[in-house]
Amino acid sequence: AQQDFVGTAKYVVVAVSDDSKLVLSYGDRGVRYASQQAGAALENFWLALTELGLVTTWVGHFYEEQVKGALEIPEDLRVEAIFPVGIETKVKGSVPRAKPDLENVLYFDKWKNKKMTPQGKISFDAV
């Protein structure tokens, strides 16, 4: 994964998706749907690790062909992410990454609309 900390983990989970059945059903959109399903499954995986007192990080930067070659993953499958799994440690000199403020990524009703307008009651007929 070209990131040293991945190689120091006792366990590394490589998430792989197969979009072939979804592409048969939905055409090109099936590729997106497969990634969305993988993301949902991986979030549940992450929550389960947390429940067990383990930690991981989502590694999205890697050379897919190298990972496929090392693990003999078929060419038609997609490596979605890599997750080194371990117990939490504090690394000397590491600086926590700044997370974006929610107000910079959350919009209401329209793109870039940062204010939520209170709505009145919604009638069943409006739905």
Side-chain angles (χ1 to χ4, degrees), residues 44-72:
N44 290 330
F45 164 72
W46 202 331
L47 290 169
L49 285 179
T50 302
E51 182 72 20
L52 295 170
L54 299 170
V55 295
T56 189
T57 189
W58 189 305
V59 178
H61 177 72
F62 53 86
Y63 294 103
E64 185 172 13
E65 295 310 314
Q66 288 181 354
V67 174
K68 284 181 174 181
L71 300 176
E72 299 179 9

Side-chain angles (χ1 to χ4, degrees), residues 106-119:
L106 182 64
Y107 305 120
F108 300 94
D109 297 322
K110 295 180 183 171
W111 187 253
K112 297 285 184 185
N113 183 14
K114 295 186 178 192
K115 297 207 182 246
M116 182 171 72
T117 306
Q119 302 290 319

Side-chain angles (χ1 to χ4, degrees), residues 13-18 62 64-82:
V13 174
V14 177
V16 178
S17 66
D18 178 357
F62 53 86
E64 185 172 13
E65 295 310 314
Q66 288 181 354
V67 174
K68 284 181 174 181
L71 300 176
E72 299 179 9
I73 297 169
E75 184 60 35
D76 57 332
L77 302 182
R78 174 175 293 160
V79 178
E80 297 285 350
I82 297 173

